[in-house]
Amino acid sequence: FQSSPPRVETGPMIPCTLEMDKRLISRAAENIIRNAVKYSPASSPVVVSMTSQPGAVGILVEDCGEGVPEQELQ
């Protein structure tokens, strides 16, 4: 019996307009979400939210994984 991977859910999504390379931001977001799914317990959801304020956009990925060890963050 294999457990299913965590579900990806959306949290609050604030509409905004970005002027950037669509491919690059898509690849970056996909990589972060894929890692969250890969390293989180199968029973826990991965929640993706987006915030916006003048001059900044935030993409928040919440999961229950252990995280990256401090010495590997750079």
Side-chain angles (χ1 to χ4, degrees):
F1 174 78
Q2 285 187 331
S3 59
S4 60
R7 294 183 310 162
V8 176
E9 301 174 359
T10 55
M13 293 287 176
I14 307 301
C16 65
T17 301
L18 302 173
E19 293 184 28
M20 62 175 41
D21 188 321
K22 182 179 175 181
R23 291 177 309 115
L24 293 179
I25 192 65
S26 294
R27 285 174 45 193
E30 179 185 0
N31 183 50
I32 293 168
I33 295 167
R34 184 175 43 244
N35 283 337
V37 169
K38 182 177 180 179
Y39 294 107
S40 290
S43 60
S44 67
V46 172
V47 181
V48 181
S49 304
M50 191 168 109
T51 61
S52 174
Q53 54 186 327
V57 171
I59 299 173
L60 177 64
V61 179
E62 298 176 274
D63 63 71
C64 293
E66 292 183 25
V68 178
E70 191 71 33
Q71 66 272 17
E72 294 181 28
L73 285 176
Q74 298 229 6

